[in-house]
Each structure stands twice: as structure tokens, then as C-alpha cells.
Amino acid sequence: MEERPATDAQPAIEPGGADAAARGGGETEEQRWLDERFLGVAIEQARIGRAEGGVPIGAALVADGRVLGAGHNRRVQLGSPIRHGETDALEVAGRLPAAVYQRSTMYTTLSPCDMCTGAVLLYGIPRVVIGENETFMGAEDLLRSRGVEVVNLRSEECIRLMRDFTAEHPELWNEDIGV
């Protein structure tokens, strides 16, 4: 079994706590703050993947203010056809009751491909927050058609990570998306 970083030690981020009062915002501003914070976990995973020689896509599964699992695209590192960022985050989270998935959000640095979209739908994850969809447009319309809320944060860092990678390794990127 491979060693993976523990996520249990991460403190819960309480939406209504002192941090929210200090920010002085309403629910929409507060949700944006939380989304950016948890997308940061996915971005860190993308950086790890890139440093390992892989595709810089990261993801985090979050419920109740806690990161349940964070992962990154590990197709190159593991020689795996299915370890995208989202599927790696699900693997790290481990087996969970359906009720947990149904109140979770998947944070991902890039618009989810058909396979990762299928995983979100299979487990009934109601919300997906993406870092960007300029470098790759995944199956966002399918997610929306099935009632999943899709939020695009348009992260400049996520765009830069993917643009730099695809310019340096177009063959690896094309392999990753099945071209």
C-alpha cells in the first residue's frame, strides 16, 4: 500500500466562525472565500504532481469544512490509465457512506474530463468547483444537466500551470486526454 499524506489532521474550516466575522461578508462572499481556500489544496496537489514529473492537475474532496481526500493526476507516476486528480482524491478519501458524498464538494484545478465527471455523478457529489476551463473544457454541461452545481473560479495560477505544462509536454497532455 502506498504512503499518502493524512488529511484527518487538517482542522475544519467553519463558515460561520471568527474567520467569517473578520471578513465581514455575506454568504456569497463567505462561500467564495471557502472555495478559494479549498481550491488552494487542489493547487498544491497539482504542484506536487508536476514536481513528480506528472500532469499538474490536483483535486480535493471536501465535506463539512474538512478535506476528506486530496490527490493529483498520477497517470505518469503510477503508469495508471485512471488516476486523474479527481479519482486520486476519491481514492485517498477511501470508502465513504453515500450521505457523505451527497454533501461534498469536489475541488479541481481543471474542468473535469468525462471519466471524472462520471465519478462525480456516480457518487452523487452535488457541487464541483473548478480552477479553470480555458485550457480544457470538460463535461461541465453534463454535470449541470444532472443537477450538479459547477463553479469556475477562473484561477490565473491554474491557467498558468496548464499552459506551461502543455507547451512543454504536448504529447503527455494529449495522451492524458485521449488525443
Side-chain angles (χ1 to χ4, degrees):
M1 182 150 212
E2 60 191 286
E3 281 290 316
R4 298 307 302 258
T7 56
D8 291 338
Q10 297 176 357
I13 297 174
E14 296 296 331
D19 287 336
R23 289 186 311 279
E27 188 173 292
T28 302
E29 186 178 320
E30 183 175 307
Q31 187 61 60
R32 173 76 184 203
W33 182 84
L34 287 170
D35 287 347
E36 288 175 355
R37 186 148 179 191
F38 286 124
L39 181 63
V41 173
I43 290 170
E44 182 56 31
Q45 286 292 313
R47 288 188 198 121
I48 292 168
R50 182 69 181 105
E52 294 173 349
V55 181
I57 301 170
L61 182 67
V62 174
D64 305 323
R66 289 198 180 281
V67 175
L68 304 176
H72 52 278
N73 185 305
R74 294 168 21 110
R75 292 184 66 251
V76 172
Q77 299 91 315
L78 298 177
S80 169
I82 61 170
R83 283 304 265 280
H84 283 196
E86 298 89 337
T87 57
D88 196 44
L90 287 165
E91 180 71 19
V92 171
R95 186 173 162 203
L96 299 169
V100 175
Y101 293 116
Q102 293 165 2
R103 64 177 187 267
S104 295
T105 297
M106 178 65 77
Y107 290 86
T108 179
T109 58
L110 187 66
S111 183
C113 71
D114 290 346
M115 178 177 66
C116 295
T117 292
V120 166
L121 295 174
L122 177 67
Y123 291 106
I125 298 168
R127 188 166 185 268
V128 176
V129 176
I130 64 174
E132 65 102 355
N133 64 4
E134 287 183 28
T135 61
F136 176 78
M137 173 60 82
E140 294 175 35
D141 287 343
L142 176 57
L143 288 169
R144 287 185 189 97
S145 77
R146 297 282 296 274
V148 175
E149 178 186 1
V150 178
V151 178
N152 183 355
L153 295 184
R154 295 172 178 83
S155 163
E156 289 298 322
E157 184 169 7
C158 292
I159 294 167
R160 182 186 48 75
L161 278 167
M162 284 309 298
R163 282 199 178 138
D164 290 352
F165 177 79
T166 57
E168 293 171 25
H169 302 283
E171 72 293 341
L172 201 52
W173 175 238
N174 288 338
E175 175 190 317
D176 195 73
I177 58 172
V179 174

